[in-house]
Amino acid sequence: MGSGARAGALAGALGVVLFLAGALLVGERPPFTADGTEVAAYVADHRTRIQLACALFAIAVPLLAWFLVTAMSLARVRRAGVLALACGLVFLTLFLADCTALAVSALRPNANPALALRDFELLAMGMAAPAAAAMLLALAATGLWPRWLSRLGVVAAGLYALRTATLFTTDGAFAADGVLGLRMPVVAISAWWLAASLMLIVSPPCSSARSSAPAS
């Protein structure tokens, strides 16, 4: 097994460990038959633990996605590997939605439905921030763009990762509508994505460069 495959396997193991750690932090919740008052009381009492658990879940997702990509690249049956990757990404997406609902309940345990849905809309991107940052880092490492644009991709990844902090606060710069919780990360990822797209239009990589890239 090569170093890249070993790194992907380690990422998968670490992702599972982070998931289990988050599950332990959440702990035993009230039964499904419990009423809203009991559930709200539980969430209020364990608010910080639930928020930390959701942050661990969010970090685990790109690690698990890395494992899926590694498994696909090593698969002897190519179609099975592609199917595993596709289904796995759908599963991880729904898992993030599931964890977002949990994070919203911890942010405002007694919120009314309209407020909770608005919070879900905003916090969903906070849950997805580690995965989005990992995507930008991976794109920056593809070798498709000039070095300066790849470096800006790393910067954009760091700025977008700031959205994870929206899981913990409702006001200030890191709130879901704050400068660091929304505006700067969105500008960073949008600007880089646009610049990268235009760069490929103006100066697409030649086929020989693409074929030689994996060997370098």
Side-chain angles (χ1 to χ4, degrees):
M1 182 185 291
S3 59
R6 186 173 288 105
L10 289 173
L14 180 57
V16 173
V17 170
L18 291 178
F19 167 77
L20 294 176
L24 288 174
L25 280 174
V26 172
E28 186 71 23
R29 288 186 272 182
F32 196 68
T33 54
D35 59 22
T37 302
E38 186 177 350
V39 173
Y42 166 82
V43 173
D45 291 340
H46 298 81
R47 182 178 182 183
T48 301
R49 291 176 58 179
I50 291 173
Q51 289 172 321
L52 289 174
C54 289
L56 292 179
F57 293 149
I59 296 170
V61 165
L63 294 172
L64 296 172
W66 186 357
F67 169 80
L68 290 173
V69 172
T70 300
M72 185 196 72
S73 67
L74 296 174
R76 294 181 180 179
V77 182
R78 191 67 174 177
R79 289 183 179 178
V82 172
L83 180 61
L85 175 62
C87 293
L89 292 179
V90 171
F91 166 73
L92 292 177
T93 299
L94 293 175
F95 175 66
L96 281 176
D98 175 90
C99 295
T100 301
L102 183 60
V104 168
S105 69
L107 192 69
R108 299 188 216 256
N110 298 304
N112 63 50
L115 187 62
L117 288 172
R118 195 280 308 272
D119 286 349
F120 187 97
E121 172 208 348
L122 294 172
L123 264 64
M125 292 300 97
M127 285 297 303
M135 175 193 69
L136 289 171
L137 290 174
L139 287 171
T142 58
L144 290 174
W145 292 279
R147 183 172 300 176
W148 64 269
L149 190 54
S150 295
R151 289 175 176 172
L152 287 179
V154 175
V155 174
L159 290 175
Y160 202 84
L162 295 176
R163 295 197 78 174
T164 308
T166 60
L167 305 177
F168 298 94
T169 184
T170 58
D171 56 13
F174 285 101
D177 59 352
V179 174
L180 299 179
L182 175 67
R183 292 174 176 80
M184 189 174 293
V186 169
V187 169
I189 194 173
S190 301
W192 190 87
W193 207 309
L194 179 60
S197 300
L198 293 176
M199 183 63 71
L200 287 181
I201 294 173
V202 174
S203 181
C206 62
S207 57
S208 60
R210 288 198 301 269
S211 62
S212 62
S216 57

